[in-house]
């Protein structure tokens, strides 16, 4: 059995010892379509205000972007890769 020290400091609040450096990437091309939008909403909700995540999608996700803006307000959207096989966007939460 592994024993954990209660005074151990981690890089973020969950206590796993990992750090949150850089911008996380969510590749939804491997997620079933039926749960894809819910997955993006969950991941984007976990991003702190002013933070960003990269989204990899199989197409230009215009309907999803509209839904995110309806839920979170005016989000930052930067296209990093524009198809044809995959689209990568940097989504930034309002501060």
């Amino acid at each position: 059995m592994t024993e954990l020290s209660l005074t151990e400091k981690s890089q973020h609040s969950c206590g796993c010892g990992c750090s949150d450096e850089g911008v996380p990437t969510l590749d939804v091309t491997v997620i079933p379509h039926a749960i894809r939008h819910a997955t993006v909403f969950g991941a984007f909700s976990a991003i702190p205000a002013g933070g960003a995540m990269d989204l990899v999608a199989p197409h230009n996700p215009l309907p999803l972007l509209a839904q995110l803006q309806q839920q979170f307000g005016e989000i930052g959207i930067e296209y990093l890769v524009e198809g044809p096989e995959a689209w990568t966007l940097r989504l930034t939460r309002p501060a």
Side-chain angles (χ1 to χ4, degrees):
M1 178 166 32
T2 303
E3 195 172 309
L4 297 176
S5 168
L6 296 179
T7 59
E8 185 177 293
K9 294 186 179 185
S10 67
Q11 298 296 322
H12 58 261
S13 63
C14 79
C16 71
C18 296
S19 69
D20 284 332
E21 294 179 21
V23 176
T25 298
L26 177 62
D27 182 349
V28 298
T29 62
V30 297
I31 297 173
H33 189 266
I35 61 171
R36 194 174 288 164
H37 283 208
T39 302
V40 174
F41 270 80
F44 196 66
S45 295
I47 301 298
M53 69 177 248
D54 289 349
L55 173 70
V56 180
H59 58 83
N60 190 357
L62 294 175
L64 173 66
L65 297 176
Q67 291 172 345
L68 285 169
Q69 288 188 328
Q70 186 175 26
Q71 172 91 18
F72 296 98
E74 196 64 33
I75 65 172
I77 302 168
E78 178 185 355
Y79 284 82
L80 304 176
V81 176
E82 295 186 47
E85 295 169 16
W87 296 68
T88 303
L89 295 83
R90 177 154 297 161
L91 307 177
T92 305
R93 290 214 37 194

